[in-house]
Amino acid sequence: MKRIQTVADVNLTGKKVLVRVDFNVPISNGKVTDNTRIRASLPTVEHLLRHSNKVILLSHLGRPNGQKNSKYTLRPVAQELSFLLRRPVLFLDDCLGPEVASTIDELGDGSVILLENLRFYAEEEANDPTFSAKLASYGEAYVNDAFGTAHRAHASTVGIPRLIPIRVAGFLMQRELEFLGAKTSQPERPFTVILGGAKVSDKIAVIDALLNRCDAMLIGGAMAYTFKFALGETVGKSLVEPNRVEDAHRALLKARDKKVELILPVDSQCTDLLDLEKKKIGKLRTVEGSIPDGWIGVDIGPKTIRSFGKCIADSRTILWNGPVGVFEIPACAEGTSAIAKFIADSKALSIVGGGDSIGALHASGRAEDISFISTGGGASLEFLEGKELPGVAALDRKQT
Ligand code: AMP
């Protein structure tokens, strides 16, 4: 596939530039409580401002279901962005309407404008052509820096770029494509993938795709029990997806054929009671091998932690997605914290994705030691599966 053009490849100066960003951030009492995604957009915004463009920012926030709803206003984001950029950010309380175009035209070069939540209109997610045309009319160039929504064919990811002659990736998008794409397609070896989380069904496509690229795959979390079940082990009351046992079996065979070391937990922390909603567990014990009746595997055990740690230490490229235990309950978080630490300690190129794994990294205070933290949940998985993301397909390719 030809490389995507980025903001650095085109001559954007003194233009009205529409920038699709992902400002879907947590807000409490009118204040942004985690500005990671806003900070992630700064390199692109600052680059465009340095070249005297007018930056018109487009984003969604939450799920307002096509209705205007003050609970989902982007206004607090404008304040936070203004603080981070150290310059005024004009917030418009609608993304459509007669004032939008005239306000943009009246502002000087180097201005920053944030339009209200795109999802206040159902037309955004419906990729409505009239809605796209109105938004497209505000700009002369289009930049997509919202990797997290690139797997959705919405007006702001697909509809607008169809109508604008210059459509390129921002720096954040570029980094996501580089790390999740090139760096895992031609990895420095050994390349180890660590996958966890609740369901095989969510990850089977990514398991299948990554078995073509990696040297070792470490599987933890509830997913591991469907794999162990497929190998004929008893797993007690652990979470198993009976209709995915066949898929797990196929993945095990593929790993053998491809000579990928697929490593499952040899021991587990087990409990006799798990109430995720109340974050309560019963008695805890370490079980090696098969899990007895009535017991539930909730974390990888100490031997598994050591063997996963050794494999991670021997790797030169590492990709991690998904917790290896019920890490929301502190007594079941040891495995996930250990993985975060092993990866942070390693000198390998490390890529971490998925909200829970990133949360565990931040909790361990080691996020700075990771080469790349992906901002896209579903989009990262779809991209790693090898799917072409509609929001990426909509951007211009390099000619050579
Ligand atoms: P995912 O969204 O697929 O990455 O899954 C994350 C969820 O998997 C978290 O809420 C974890 O609590 C859950 N999880 C991880 N390990 C287990 C396990 N052994 N049993 C039940 N749930 C688990």
Side-chain angles (χ1 to χ4, degrees), residues 373-384:
I373 296 181
S374 174
T375 55
S380 317
L381 288 179
E382 288 196 24
F383 189 64
L384 286 168

Side-chain angles (χ1 to χ4, degrees), residues 237 270-276 278-284 294-296 298 329 332:
K237 274 202 301 177
C270 295
T271 184
D272 55 352
L273 181 141
L274 171 66
D275 185 336
L276 246 179
K278 293 197 183 127
K279 298 203 172 163
K280 254 186 68 182
I281 48 162
K283 287 189 282 248
L284 262 182
W295 289 80
I296 309 161
V298 285
I329 301 176
C332 314

Side-chain angles (χ1 to χ4, degrees), residues 61-74:
L61 176 69
R63 297 176 186 269
N65 295 323
Q67 304 284 325
K68 290 189 180 170
N69 180 342
S70 58
K71 193 173 150 206
Y72 298 106
T73 178
L74 280 165

Side-chain angles (χ1 to χ4, degrees), residues 196-199 202-203 220-223 225 238-239 274 276 296-299 321-328 356-357:
K199 292 190 186 156
D202 290 344
K203 306 248 164 89
M223 277 205 306
Y225 300 109
S238 307
L239 196 62
L274 171 66
L276 246 179
I296 309 161
V298 285
D299 195 6
N321 188 303
V324 295
V326 186
F327 85 109
E328 300 93 327
D356 295 330
S357 325

Side-chain angles (χ1 to χ4, degrees), residues 145-308:
D145 217 14
F147 180 74
T149 48
H151 59 319
R152 306 273 181 233
H154 293 167
S156 64
T157 57
V158 163
I160 300 174
R162 264 192 207 130
L163 304 167
I164 291 194
I166 304 170
R167 49 266 161 117
V168 295
F171 294 121
L172 175 62
M173 173 75 90
Q174 179 193 21
R175 274 170 65 75
E176 293 275 4
L177 298 176
E178 182 191 335
F179 277 88
L180 298 176
K183 301 242 191 252
T184 64
S185 307
Q186 292 104 36
E188 284 212 37
R189 297 189 180 278
F191 173 25
T192 297
V193 173
I194 305 120
L195 293 174
K199 292 190 186 156
V200 174
S201 41
D202 290 344
K203 306 248 164 89
I204 191 68
V206 94
I207 290 173
D208 190 54
L210 291 173
L211 282 174
N212 296 323
R213 302 189 207 167
C214 69
D215 302 291
M217 185 175 281
L218 317 181
I219 296 187
M223 277 205 306
Y225 300 109
T226 300
F227 276 83
K228 284 165 90 68
F229 191 81
L231 287 171
E233 285 188 37
T234 54
V235 294
K237 274 202 301 177
S238 307
L239 196 62
V240 167
E241 287 173 278
N243 58 348
R244 292 295 177 175
V245 173
E246 194 49 49
D247 285 332
H249 204 250
R250 220 171 298 129
L252 288 160
L253 291 177
K254 179 164 178 174
R256 197 188 60 189
D257 288 349
K258 297 260 172 197
K259 301 198 170 35
V260 173
E261 223 184 326
L262 195 153
I263 309 179
L264 297 171
V266 289
D267 58 354
S268 296
Q269 288 298 358
C270 295
T271 184
D272 55 352
L273 181 141
L274 171 66
D275 185 336
L276 246 179
E277 250 169 53
K278 293 197 183 127
K279 298 203 172 163
K280 254 186 68 182
I281 48 162
K283 287 189 282 248
L284 262 182
R285 66 184 257 213
T286 307
V287 174
E288 271 188 44
S290 289
I291 297 176
D293 272 359
W295 289 80
I296 309 161
V298 285
D299 195 6
I300 55 174
K303 280 196 176 167
T304 307
I305 292 181
R306 278 197 296 279
S307 85
F308 280 16

